[in-house]
Amino acid sequence: MPEVLVHPPMATTSLPAIPDSAPIQGAGKPMISSRKIARRVQQLGREISARYADLDQPLVLVVILKGAAVFAADLLRSLSIPAELEFVRASSYGAGTSSSGKVKFAHMVDGPLTGRHLLLVEDIVDSGRTINVIVRKLRSHRPASVKLAALLDRPARREEDVAIHFTGFVIPDRFVIGYGLDYAGLYRELPAIYSLG
Ligand code: PRP
């Protein structure tokens, strides 16, 4: 079961000025520590490996760049089943803290996906628009199945129904950075997840 964070500790920082901000790391308590993330990703890896244990060909992880890159790298290494990697480059946030509402694509998978079992890997699901557009596009390849693993679920911003099959953490309506998630392209390198404001 995903961990539901109802009253997360707030970072003590306010929204940092970009690009001359003081480093966030160490400035406030993380919303989700790197240890908690690591533990949850290992659990997800076990769940996913068990769910797909009987496949006769490798699972295909479809990583939604850029935010999911860090999660996907750890999730991949927590699997005990064979897996291939594909990438989709989608963005909707631009430089702000809320989605622009338009999903832009710069890259859409290389390999043939017909008859394959796909597991989309997302860092966060907000409105649900990005993932739903991608699922629709991927279904046109006639895969055997399409499921979604999302590290973070922020249901307060949901505008479209989304089926998340493997959820890391359900978080409240705070803008978050770290572990792949950015603010204006920065802070993806932070090992924990912090809330801004
Ligand atoms: C973020 C995130 C998801 C999407 C979620 O991507 O990585 O792909 O927004 O929002 P939605 O559910 O409202 O569609 P972003 O546009 O920030 O690009 P990035 O992954 O390159 O940071």
Side-chain angles (χ1 to χ4, degrees):
M1 288 292 289
E3 186 169 340
V4 179
L5 299 176
V6 182
H7 298 296
M10 291 279 290
T12 54
T13 53
S14 56
L15 201 66
I18 301 290
D20 297 324
S21 59
I24 287 198
Q25 196 169 14
K29 195 168 180 235
M31 176 191 273
I32 312 173
S33 70
S34 55
R35 268 178 66 171
K36 258 189 171 175
I37 296 170
R39 214 166 38 225
R40 186 72 189 120
V41 172
Q42 288 298 319
Q43 287 170 350
L44 289 175
R46 283 195 293 274
E47 281 175 41
I48 291 165
S49 300
R51 180 78 66 93
Y52 291 101
D54 296 332
L55 293 192
D56 52 9
Q57 52 185 342
L59 176 66
V60 182
L61 295 190
V62 180
V63 184
I64 318 299
L65 298 174
K66 299 176 186 174
V70 177
F71 173 43
D74 285 344
L75 187 65
L76 176 67
R77 288 174 292 175
S78 75
L79 296 178
S80 56
I81 55 170
E84 295 176 14
L85 279 179
E86 288 286 347
F87 296 94
V88 171
R89 169 70 183 118
S91 65
S92 62
Y93 265 72
T97 60
S98 63
S99 174
S100 67
K102 287 199 190 110
V103 183
K104 287 194 298 189
F105 289 96
H107 175 75
M108 194 70 193
V109 302
D110 292 324
L113 302 178
T114 307
R116 304 298 302 274
H117 292 273
L118 312 183
L119 179 64
L120 276 66
V121 182
E122 256 294 22
D123 52 341
I124 188 163
V125 177
D126 277 330
S127 69
R129 273 192 300 264
T130 303
I131 204 66
N132 281 345
V133 171
I134 292 170
V135 167
R136 279 197 291 276
K137 283 181 181 278
L138 289 175
R139 285 201 192 285
S140 69
H141 293 252
R142 289 180 287 115
S145 71
V146 182
K147 292 194 189 304
L148 169 63
L151 179 70
L152 304 178
D153 177 9
R154 189 159 46 191
R157 298 198 187 180
R158 195 74 88 251
E159 292 174 19
E160 299 180 6
D161 287 341
V162 177
I164 307 179
H165 305 87
F166 305 95
T167 305
F169 302 91
V170 178
I171 63 166
D173 192 10
R174 305 255 174 78
F175 190 79
V176 284
I177 53 164
Y179 197 71
L181 292 121
D182 73 308
Y183 174 63
L186 297 175
Y187 305 120
R188 295 191 200 271
E189 75 282 7
L190 298 177
I193 291 172
Y194 294 81
S195 82
L196 291 183

